[in-house]
Amino acid sequence: MINELLPPKRILMGPGPSDVHPHVLKSMVTPLLGHLDPAFLTIMDETMELLRQVYQTKNKATMAMSGTGSAGMETVFVNLIEPGDKVLIGVNGLFGERMVDVAERCGAEVIQVKAPWGQIIDPQQIKEMLQQHKNIKVVAVVHAETSTGVRQPLEEISHIVHEHEALFVCDMVTSLGGCPTDIDQVGVDAAYSGTQKCLSAPPGLAPVTFSARAVDVMAKRKQKVQSWYLDLSMIQAYWSEDSERFYHHTAPITMIYSLREALRLIVNEGLENVFARHKRYGDSLHAGLEAMGLSLLVEKEHRLSQLTSVNIPEGVDDLAVRKRLLEKYSLEIGGGLGELKGKVWRIGLMGYNARQENVTYMLAALEDVLKEENCNIEHGVALQAAEKLMNK
Amino acid sequence: MINELLPPKRILMGPGPSDVHPHVLKSMVTPLLGHLDPAFLTIMDETMELLRQVYQTKNKATMAMSGTGSAGMETVFVNLIEPGDKVLIGVNGLFGERMVDVAERCGAEVIQVKAPWGQIIDPQQIKEMLQQHKNIKVVAVVHAETSTGVRQPLEEISHIVHEHEALFVCDMVTSLGGCPTDIDQVGVDAAYSGTQKCLSAPPGLAPVTFSARAVDVMAKRKQKVQSWYLDLSMIQAYWSEDSERFYHHTAPITMIYSLREALRLIVNEGLENVFARHKRYGDSLHAGLEAMGLSLLVEKEHRLSQLTSVNIPEGVDDLAVRKRLLEKYSLEIGGGLGELKGKVWRIGLMGYNARQENVTYMLAALEDVLKEENCNIEHGVALQAAEKLMNK
């Protein structure tokens, strides 16, 4: 006999999912509409409009794919790439590696530009590769590398990519709603994200956006997209204000309710205020961690506010600390992935969680658990160091 | 300025999505757990166990894919098929056609066995094709054709398929939770479904199940699965009670909460009771519609209880009737798809909606609207004809 659902209440400060905004949770009990109901089509229109605002774009082709962030990645590659196309991918973390895997499964010839995990991709290396290999169709980088906490500057790369007439693709899973994405200003041709990080909705949808150039490239494909489920040539006729709204697959209605509400809250707060809030509490967390004597993986200039990788001090048991935080404080942080496994903790301050309470609770809980683990840190100084930056 | 969500309350009696059970809606405000939290892994284990009960299988590989029912279809084909494989597909409606499209995108050589829309696939034709074409790897049919309301008998086909050592695949999007699926007893090797029909959860997940034989075939693949997002070689290591639960992609936590609750309600009611309830109210709807003088597309023997195609009487305006039902009664029914466009209405009695109240309301509303449209029907007899079968 399985009982009604009553899980423990966690505080989700790992790399995602992060806590869902209570208003967003509330929106999810809204009874369903049919996926072709005029009232639902209006909700889709509103969602597209809000999504454009949060992505900072006027791109018509801006919609939510019916899968998690990784389905967004797959959407971009299966639709832009045909077998034999050359793709240049910046790899400085797990999600760059994932792009390589996904692009290869589409039949792409992948060329990689690498950087050590925790550092940015060097635009000059992108330039060299574009000069060396002719006819590269797509250049892709991760804007906010969830596996490291690096924020990749995009402007210079975008300029180089467009000089070589390639399409510029960005993974924005952890950046959307947490820092400026500036799709139009930067000149990003395709981007994808998830709902479960800085948007503070549950995981399950992948917001994507495509420039007119990218839409044009898709329209000129010679072969069918290998994924029926993610084929934008059909999905664009459903997710579009001025089409006949052809049925493709049954849209995940409740998830779209949650996305609409999440975006609405962000737009109501004001994008600039939301970004400033992430920066304020990110800075204050960083100050607190450093005051405690901990070091951060990423140098200050390229650190994300919404996701911070902390180097695990020598001799400290990674799993024991995370387990203790979960059991004693019901607080989730993330471990390292891939080559950073066992080497870093990843702390998220995303969306609704980018607040004073979360910074204070995290620093207090971590200080206590590290003390229990006999880790040699400074005591009683983290909160003050953090608080100094909270009211700036 | 976009307001808080407050859509009209509909009664969803089309081909899906159908109304979500109120307890399932309630489960969706549960705060998130992390996708690797031990408490969430327990919820996944419970969901798999419940899913096996509702699918009527002991298949270890039984899980929920992170997309809607169509993603379930794609999951089955991308994982079982490699380029050049021969696939035999029964096509007697839109979802058979969709399987052809999906299988071809996987590089399959597709052979079709067709039947008119509204009729079943003839097992003898499957047999002939299997004899004619050697080395067919997969035979696929739609168990409950959502575009027509036909219920395909599976036993004989399964026997034939296994005599020829092929894998038997079934689309169970509209059957799961509405009528017996009997995976193990019938010998289905792979099936997929959705959450938004007879399970009475919102759309967004695709429950799938694979026999040991199918798992074995997948394990022996020569090429990578073309979809990273749906690659079971990785996903099975996350959705499995006895693996290390490797992270693949962030699971749609809230949707899994809703699926667990939906399945729990079905198992608590008792599978046989749930099937009997669908049959009772399906029969009673059919009796009411026929008493009114309307004719049904599918002959009695092969009719689904949960989805009924009604032939639109000559001279009656399809769209006008559906629009009026929606506007006057907030009642959604479906139109015809493909070659049945404008020729049938599709009425769903799925899951939570397979109840006396829904049958009565549907018959009363339809009778009234057809009267307004000057359609020549019998008046004042439908409800009585329906009620006779309600308490049987």
Side-chain angles (χ1 to χ4, degrees), chain A residues 49-61:
Chain A
E49 188 42 48
L50 289 164
L51 202 46
R52 289 187 192 107
Q53 289 183 49
V54 176
Y55 255 133
Q56 302 174 285
T57 181
K58 296 204 184 331
N59 284 343
K60 199 173 128 33

Side-chain angles (χ1 to χ4, degrees), chain B residues 188-312:
Chain B
V188 177
D189 291 300
Y192 56 88
S193 191
T195 44
Q196 73 280 13
K197 307 215 190 251
C198 298
L199 300 185
S200 299
L205 293 178
V208 294
T209 187
F210 292 86
S211 70
R213 276 185 69 220
V215 170
D216 196 46
V217 165
M218 293 189 283
K220 288 178 177 149
R221 286 183 67 95
K222 293 192 188 77
Q223 296 185 32
K224 268 191 182 179
V225 171
Q226 69 188 31
S227 167
W228 182 93
Y229 187 61
L230 303 174
D231 184 347
L232 287 172
S233 72
M234 296 184 287
I235 294 170
Q236 283 183 90
Y238 178 57
W239 273 100
S240 165
E241 288 95 340
D242 48 13
S243 83
E244 279 199 58
R245 319 300 286 249
F246 278 114
Y247 160 66
H248 177 257
H249 64 272
T250 304
I253 312 292
T254 304
M255 286 303 306
I256 292 169
Y257 288 168
S258 77
L259 174 59
R260 178 189 178 282
E261 180 63 8
L263 295 167
R264 196 180 73 87
L265 291 166
I266 290 172
V267 168
N268 280 2
E269 182 177 348
L271 264 189
E272 294 309 319
N273 297 331
V274 169
F275 298 150
R277 178 164 55 75
H278 279 88
K279 173 132 184 30
R280 183 162 64 248
Y281 294 112
D283 285 350
S284 112
L285 177 72
H286 298 163
L289 292 167
E290 289 183 324
M292 220 186 272
L294 296 168
S295 71
L296 307 186
L297 176 73
V298 180
E299 63 172 338
K300 189 162 185 150
E301 191 188 348
H302 299 125
R303 250 176 233 164
L304 288 166
S305 301
Q306 59 269 46
L307 185 69
T308 304
S309 285
V310 184
N311 294 311
I312 300 177

Side-chain angles (χ1 to χ4, degrees), chain B residues 334-386:
Chain B
L337 293 175
E339 61 182 61
L340 292 177
K341 191 171 175 180
K343 295 184 180 162
V344 299
W345 292 310
R346 292 179 299 151
I347 301 179
L349 273 177
M350 297 180 180
Y352 178 67
N353 279 357
R355 288 183 300 152
Q356 175 264 315
E357 295 91 315
N358 287 66
V359 174
T360 304
Y361 191 73
M362 171 59 68
L363 290 171
L366 188 61
E367 185 170 329
D368 176 59
V369 169
L370 288 178
K371 188 178 176 186
E372 286 183 0
E373 291 287 318
N374 297 315
C375 175
N376 184 23
I377 52 163
E378 292 286 320
H379 287 287
V381 292
L383 287 186
Q384 277 196 327

Side-chain angles (χ1 to χ4, degrees), chain B residues 34-52 62-64 235 237-241 245 251 253 256 260:
Chain B
H35 55 281
L36 294 171
D37 192 308
F40 185 67
L41 300 179
T42 301
I43 288 170
M44 291 174 74
D45 292 350
E46 291 165 349
T47 305
M48 285 187 270
E49 188 43 48
L50 290 164
L51 202 46
R52 289 187 192 107
T62 302
M63 67 204 97
I235 294 170
Y238 178 57
W239 273 100
S240 165
E241 288 95 340
R245 319 300 286 249
I253 312 292
I256 292 169
R260 178 189 178 282

Side-chain angles (χ1 to χ4, degrees), chain A residues 312-378:
Chain A
I312 300 178
E314 196 105 353
V316 171
D317 184 340
D318 170 21
L319 271 179
V321 169
R322 285 193 281 138
K323 195 163 174 240
R324 190 73 182 138
L325 283 170
L326 195 69
E327 289 173 357
K328 185 169 181 184
Y329 289 102
S330 217
L331 179 58
E332 179 176 280
I333 66 170
L337 292 175
E339 61 183 62
L340 291 177
K341 192 171 175 181
K343 294 187 181 161
V344 299
W345 292 311
R346 291 179 299 151
I347 301 179
L349 273 179
M350 297 178 178
Y352 178 65
N353 279 356
R355 289 183 299 154
Q356 175 263 314
E357 295 91 316
N358 287 64
V359 174
T360 304
Y361 191 73
M362 171 58 70
L363 291 171
L366 187 62
E367 183 168 330
D368 176 57
V369 168
L370 288 178
K371 188 178 175 184
E372 284 183 2
E373 291 286 320
N374 297 314
C375 174
N376 184 23
I377 52 162
E378 291 286 320

Side-chain angles (χ1 to χ4, degrees), chain A residues 62-327:
Chain A
T62 303
M63 66 204 97
M65 301 299 290
S66 305
T68 64
S70 296
M73 182 189 289
E74 193 151 313
T75 299
V76 167
F77 286 100
V78 293
N79 283 283
L80 291 180
I81 299 301
E82 298 193 64
D85 284 344
K86 285 188 200 166
V87 179
L88 178 60
I89 298 178
V91 178
N92 56 344
L94 185 81
F95 295 91
E97 289 181 351
R98 184 172 296 180
M99 289 200 291
V100 172
D101 191 355
V102 170
E104 284 178 348
R105 289 172 196 240
C106 300
E109 183 187 321
V110 177
I111 302 139
Q112 299 185 40
V113 166
K114 295 192 179 185
W117 287 37
Q119 294 183 25
I120 63 164
I121 299 289
D122 176 5
Q124 286 313 306
Q125 286 192 31
I126 302 259
K127 189 170 186 172
E128 283 162 25
M129 286 298 182
L130 280 164
Q131 286 165 341
Q132 197 176 318
H133 301 266
K134 293 297 162 203
N135 299 319
I136 287 178
K137 185 180 188 181
V138 166
V139 177
V141 299
V142 179
H143 185 210
E145 216 346 310
T146 321
S147 63
T148 62
V150 162
R151 177 175 179 174
Q152 176 72 44
L154 301 177
E155 288 76 4
E156 192 180 345
I157 296 178
S158 177
H159 186 73
I160 294 166
V161 169
H162 292 119
E163 266 186 353
H164 289 79
E165 295 184 346
L167 293 169
F168 187 35
V169 165
C170 291
D171 177 320
M172 291 180 159
V173 172
T174 292
S175 52
L176 186 67
C179 58
T181 48
D182 277 331
I183 295 292
D184 291 357
Q185 196 186 310
V186 169
V188 176
D189 291 299
Y192 55 89
S193 190
T195 44
Q196 73 278 12
K197 306 213 190 252
C198 299
L199 300 185
S200 298
L205 293 178
V208 293
T209 186
F210 292 86
S211 70
R213 276 185 70 219
V215 170
D216 196 47
V217 165
M218 294 191 282
K220 289 179 178 149
R221 285 183 68 96
K222 293 192 187 77
Q223 297 185 32
K224 268 190 183 179
V225 171
Q226 68 187 32
S227 168
W228 183 93
Y229 187 61
L230 303 175
D231 185 347
L232 287 172
S233 72
M234 297 184 286
I235 294 170
Q236 283 183 91
Y238 178 57
W239 273 100
S240 164
E241 288 94 341
D242 48 13
S243 83
E244 280 198 59
R245 317 301 286 245
F246 279 115
Y247 160 66
H248 178 256
H249 65 273
T250 304
I253 313 291
T254 305
M255 286 303 308
I256 292 168
Y257 288 169
S258 76
L259 175 59
R260 178 188 178 282
E261 180 62 9
L263 295 168
R264 196 181 72 87
L265 291 166
I266 289 171
V267 168
N268 279 4
E269 182 176 348
L271 265 188
E272 293 309 318
N273 296 331
V274 169
F275 298 150
R277 179 164 54 76
H278 278 88
K279 172 132 184 31
R280 182 163 64 248
Y281 293 112
D283 285 352
S284 110
L285 176 72
H286 298 162
L289 292 167
E290 290 185 323
M292 219 186 272
L294 295 168
S295 70
L296 306 185
L297 177 72
V298 180
E299 62 172 340
K300 189 160 188 155
E301 191 188 348
H302 299 123
R303 252 177 232 166
L304 288 166
S305 301
Q306 59 268 47
L307 185 68
T308 304
S309 285
V310 184
N311 294 311
I312 300 178
E314 196 105 353
V316 171
D317 184 340
D318 170 21
L319 271 179
V321 169
R322 285 193 281 138
K323 195 163 174 240
R324 190 73 182 138
L325 283 170
L326 195 69
E327 289 173 357

